[in-house]
Amino acid sequence: MVTKIQGNYNQTYTGIKHNGAPKYTPNFTANAPKPANFTNYLKQKNLIKFMEKLKWFDGEQGRILITAIGTGAIAPLFIAWNPYVKPKEGATEEEKDNLKKTQKYTAMRQPISAALAIPIQMSLVTPINKGLDVIFNNPKFSKFIPTYLDKSALQDDKYIERQEKKKLKAQKLDKKTFKTKLAENINKVKNEQVSKVATDFLQTGQIRIREGANGLVDTKSTTEALRNEIRSYMSDTNFLRYDSFNDSDLKKLLDNPQAEITSATTGKDFYAKRAETLINNKDELKRVLGSLPKDKAQIGSYLQQELAKVKDDNELKKVYQEIIDLADSDSQASRCSRTIERIDKIEKSCGGKGKFTKAKYMANMEADEALLLKRLRRFAEISKSINENPQGIKKAIADLAENCRFDSNNKRLNTIFHNISTFGENSGKLKEKICKDIVKGYKGMMNKRYRFIKEIAGISLGLFVTVPITCHALNWVYPRFMDIFFPKLSGSKKAAVQKNGGEK
């Protein structure tokens, strides 16, 4: 989950120059530097980083461990103290005692089963997964599987990582250099693969995975990837609006580009009110925020002191409090400088110093909203009118590039779109970027298909290999383990079975 949030943040919030604040927080500032890690700007960053480490449990090995923990630690409790298992009517105290011991004896089978399952299943899952990765990613083998599963041109990150590790091990680098070099090499290979496929895609309107007539991705999948990117561009454009539409509104536009929709949010009201606060207190804000302590660790306490001096202006208090509430001193310092820049931009947008009015600023925002809505409608029109053939796809890419293009000499357009990665000034470069985005999207689609295949392989492996092996091992180990470590339970169980005509 965290990875997804940061991807969207970095894609859309790269130094936004906008007449309003970025939508993720009501701070009424702009031109924030692109952070190396978005989570560092959140108060919950330590918790999020901890949760990121748990991503390992998302794989097959993680599921094996979770299942084993459930089997070994939780299931025995419900078996040993099952309230629905009761002795027969008129049972003697000895029979009641034997029933309890039998339940506990049976319950002990679960942790032993879990302890055996982990090494047995782990030892089989890793080589199986590596084998599948080779089949689907290595062109020597992938040419024998259907094109829609062939990952040789857009290989898995883990497969690339293993290949690059083999190359780097021969260089005998220190641990830190090895880690840095490995990350660089992985990114380089990934980018080169995407660029190669995207370059051919731009020329032909078809995604080619391998040579030959059967090496082309079917047009339906390509069109699906294209439409997914259009939806992504619409989200990026919607992000820039003061009154953003919700998902159902955007879907209405995709279904009917000319649909009349009204945003449920009231962003413009907030931004106009905040602009008024900043302008009315511009001298004080420039003095306070422009004279921060040299020791960044003191910024919070410094602003707390300034906040205490504000008596009647609750809106000004909010400005200070929002800065104080940021996660760290670097974020606070950045917000202070951006707030000062914001004051100048507000005045400039209204015609210069002393010319600000709330009505004039509101009119500017409404003009921006209308321009962005026009772009949203055009994206929807392009998505709806795609002809599912190579020429139709090439035309859609050209139309997308034109809708993402802006003239930097147009002050309004430049203010809205400058440094936003979805938009640019050069149609040729935009086409290249769009093709790369579509190729990356198709790679994501392939990853989902491949994951499904691995899930099926994992289930099959469990049913026909690991479960039989684990059961045989358990049947041999369990009675011997109980005889050694729990002889009283083991003896009671045998006695109960023999008494009931069971095993001798």
Side-chain angles (χ1 to χ4, degrees):
M1 185 61 183
V2 176
T3 304
K4 175 75 172 172
I5 292 172
Q6 180 157 342
N8 289 340
Y9 178 88
N10 288 342
Q11 183 179 32
T12 60
Y13 185 59
T14 310
I16 292 178
K17 290 188 176 181
H18 197 281
N19 286 339
K23 304 304 181 294
Y24 74 93
T25 181
N27 57 45
F28 208 84
T29 59
N31 292 328
K34 178 179 177 180
N37 190 340
F38 177 47
T39 57
N40 288 338
Y41 282 66
L42 301 176
K43 283 193 170 184
Q44 302 85 357
K45 60 183 179 180
N46 292 329
L47 175 61
I48 293 173
K49 287 178 179 179
F50 172 74
M51 292 173 65
E52 278 285 282
K53 293 179 180 179
L54 299 181
K55 283 171 61 178
W56 185 83
F57 284 96
D58 190 40
E60 185 67 28
Q61 292 89 341
R63 283 192 288 275
I64 290 171
L65 282 179
I66 291 172
T67 302
I69 291 171
T71 301
I74 299 175
L77 301 177
F78 292 93
I79 296 173
W81 290 278
N82 189 338
Y84 297 102
V85 176
K86 297 179 181 179
K88 62 184 180 181
E89 291 186 16
T92 64
E93 288 301 318
E94 181 183 1
E95 289 174 328
K96 292 178 181 179
D97 185 57
N98 282 338
L99 177 61
K100 291 179 180 179
K101 289 181 178 180
T102 299
Q103 284 181 264
K104 293 178 181 179
Y105 180 90
T106 305
M108 284 300 297
R109 185 180 178 91
Q110 304 306 308
I112 306 303
S113 174
L116 289 172
I118 292 174
I120 292 174
Q121 293 184 30
M122 287 285 198
S123 63
L124 291 171
V125 164
T126 299
I128 291 293
N129 284 342
K130 286 184 177 180
L132 288 172
D133 285 344
V134 170
I135 292 172
F136 286 86
N137 287 273
N138 191 319
K140 292 181 180 178
F141 306 105
S142 64
K143 63 184 179 182
F144 298 111
I145 64 177
T147 306
Y148 66 88
L149 290 173
D150 187 344
K151 301 173 70 65
S152 59
L154 300 166
Q155 294 169 330
D156 279 329
D157 293 359
K158 289 184 178 180
Y159 181 81
I160 295 173
E161 181 180 351
R162 285 197 290 270
Q163 305 310 306
E164 294 305 312
K165 277 184 178 179
K166 291 177 184 177
K167 296 176 184 177
L168 289 176
K169 281 181 179 179
Q171 299 181 23
K172 298 181 179 179
L173 303 170
D174 62 84
K175 188 175 181 180
K176 184 177 180 181
T177 305
F178 181 90
K179 186 177 180 180
T180 302
K181 191 71 175 176
L182 178 62
E184 290 175 353
N185 289 2
I186 292 171
N187 284 329
K188 182 180 178 182
V189 172
K190 286 166 57 179
N191 291 334
E192 286 176 348
Q193 289 180 352
V194 169
S195 294
K196 182 179 179 181
V197 176
T199 299
D200 183 68
F201 177 43
L202 177 60
Q203 299 299 320
T204 64
Q206 295 176 288
I207 298 177
R208 179 173 290 280
I209 297 300
R210 61 192 182 207
E211 295 300 321
N214 66 342
L216 293 171
V217 173
D218 63 285
T219 307
K220 183 177 180 180
S221 294
T222 305
T223 305
E224 181 182 352
L226 171 56
R227 285 200 168 103
N228 287 340
E229 287 310 311
I230 293 175
R231 284 193 287 271
S232 175
Y233 296 163
M234 290 182 71
S235 295
D236 295 343
T237 306
N238 187 47
F239 178 90
L240 298 174
R241 287 174 54 85
Y242 301 93
D243 294 331
S244 299
F245 297 126
N246 57 35
D247 289 341
S248 62
D249 291 332
L250 293 179
K251 188 177 184 306
K252 285 180 183 177
L253 275 182
L254 282 166
D255 294 336
N256 179 12
Q258 301 307 318
E260 290 297 325
I261 53 177
T262 303
S263 173
T265 62
T266 56
K268 290 195 294 294
D269 293 336
F270 166 81
Y271 298 123
K273 186 176 182 179
R274 178 56 59 88
E276 190 174 40
T277 301
L278 295 180
I279 296 300
N280 289 343
N281 298 278
K282 66 178 182 178
D283 293 334
E284 178 184 347
L285 285 168
K286 286 186 175 183
R287 176 185 61 81
V288 173
L289 303 183
S291 305
L292 299 179
K294 291 182 179 180
D295 182 1
K296 288 185 177 180
Q298 300 299 317
I299 292 177
S301 58
Y302 166 74
L303 293 175
Q304 286 281 12
Q305 293 172 5
E306 294 298 329
L307 173 61
K309 297 176 184 177
V310 180
K311 300 302 181 183
D312 301 321
D313 194 334
N314 289 330
E315 293 303 317
L316 181 58
K317 288 181 180 180
K318 289 179 183 178
V319 173
Y320 285 131
Q321 192 63 54
E322 286 169 9
I323 301 174
I324 293 168
D325 288 342
L326 291 174
D328 53 53
S329 57
D330 286 332
S331 304
Q332 291 170 338
S334 175
R335 175 72 67 81
C336 290
S337 64
R338 289 185 285 121
T339 300
I340 294 173
E341 290 177 15
R342 189 69 238 153
I343 292 170
D344 295 334
K345 290 181 182 297
I346 291 169
E347 289 190 316
K348 186 177 179 181
S349 71
C350 293
K353 291 184 178 180
K355 295 185 178 181
F356 169 84
T357 66
K358 192 173 180 180
K360 191 182 295 184
Y361 197 74
M362 180 68 79
N364 280 334
M365 289 191 287
E366 289 174 350
D368 287 353
E369 294 282 83
L371 191 152
L372 290 166
L373 178 57
K374 184 178 179 181
R375 299 255 175 168
L376 283 171
R377 292 191 188 282
R378 180 58 184 144
F379 278 130
E381 288 172 355
I382 295 168
S383 177
K384 197 170 182 65
S385 64
I386 296 173
N387 290 320
E388 294 189 11
N389 56 59
Q391 291 305 314
I393 290 170
K394 288 177 67 176
K395 182 180 183 304
I397 291 171
D399 291 341
L400 276 178
E402 187 58 31
N403 200 45
C404 291
R405 190 182 68 82
F406 70 93
D407 182 1
S408 60
N409 293 321
N410 183 312
K411 290 183 180 180
R412 184 175 297 280
L413 294 178
N414 190 60
T415 299
I416 297 173
F417 297 126
H418 180 60
N419 279 349
I420 307 299
S421 63
T422 301
F423 301 90
E425 301 176 59
N426 186 291
S427 293
K429 290 182 179 179
L430 282 169
K431 287 181 184 178
E432 292 174 4
K433 176 193 172 297
I434 290 167
C435 286
K436 287 181 181 179
D437 289 343
I438 295 170
V439 169
K440 289 176 185 177
Y442 175 72
K443 181 178 179 179
M445 291 165 57
M446 274 203 304
N447 288 341
K448 290 180 181 179
R449 294 169 182 166
Y450 179 54
R451 183 163 185 168
F452 175 75
I453 296 296
K454 290 183 78 170
E455 293 287 349
I456 296 298
I459 293 171
S460 301
L461 177 68
L463 288 175
F464 302 110
V465 181
T466 58
V467 169
I469 291 175
T470 304
C471 287
H472 281 296
L474 180 63
N475 288 336
W476 189 88
V477 170
Y478 182 57
R480 290 164 175 79
F481 176 88
M482 295 300 291
D483 285 342
I484 295 171
F485 294 100
F486 300 95
K488 290 185 178 180
L489 283 179
S490 178
S492 174
K493 169 66 178 171
K494 289 178 180 177
V497 170
Q498 291 174 355
K499 186 174 182 179
N500 290 305
E503 298 174 350
K504 301 294 183 181

